[in-house]
Amino acid sequence: MEQQHLFEEKGETLIIYLPEELDHHAAGVIREETESLFICKKIRDVIFDYTNTHFMDSSGIGLVMGRYRQVRYLKGDVYIVGVNEKIARILDISGLYRVAKKCENIDAALQDIEEKKGRRKEK
């Protein structure tokens, strides 16, 4: 698989720009690459950007669930942004929206993360 997806770090947040097809092979590559980022960096929140994704199978659901399990112990969240109707239906049926926050775009997710940081500091 070519480097169709990119990773971007913003503080303790990892943004994952997903490829057009999120199948078993692509999910495996992304999983491997994010594992090393989780080991080397302090990642608290993950944003999955589905803007360019037109196909996803159950491997994509597993990828999101795996990252959720990694961040929940750090009181982090998983965000899903940029989904089209087809992907939104898959995510809804799978129940992923019970563990992941849905936002319109990356900026909205980053704003929610900043507000969450502010609430943590107030406590």
Side-chain angles (χ1 to χ4, degrees), residues 13-113:
T13 301
L14 176 65
I15 303 169
I16 302 173
Y17 299 94
L18 297 170
E20 285 184 31
E21 293 189 10
L22 184 53
D23 58 11
H24 175 74
H25 177 70
V29 170
I30 294 167
R31 186 176 302 111
E32 284 179 22
E33 292 181 20
T34 58
E35 286 295 327
S36 64
L37 289 170
F38 273 91
I39 291 168
C40 300
K41 310 282 183 178
K42 183 178 179 188
I43 302 296
R44 183 185 299 264
D45 299 290
V46 178
I47 300 171
F48 285 94
D49 183 0
Y50 281 85
T51 302
N52 297 318
T53 306
H54 303 290
F55 171 82
M56 181 178 81
D57 64 15
S58 61
S59 303
I61 295 166
L63 177 68
V64 174
M65 286 302 299
R67 297 327 88 183
Y68 167 73
R69 283 191 291 274
Q70 286 182 293
V71 300
R72 71 179 177 180
Y73 295 111
L74 299 171
K75 304 274 191 262
D77 290 301
V78 169
Y79 293 82
I80 294 174
V81 303
V83 297
N84 63 36
E85 286 183 33
K86 184 178 176 183
I87 301 296
R89 183 165 161 72
I90 293 168
L91 296 172
D92 195 34
I93 290 170
S94 71
L96 270 185
Y97 287 134
R98 283 182 261 154
V99 298
K101 294 183 174 189
K102 180 180 178 182
C103 289
E104 193 66 33
N105 53 44
I106 291 172
D107 289 337
L110 289 170
Q111 182 176 347
D112 187 75
I113 291 166

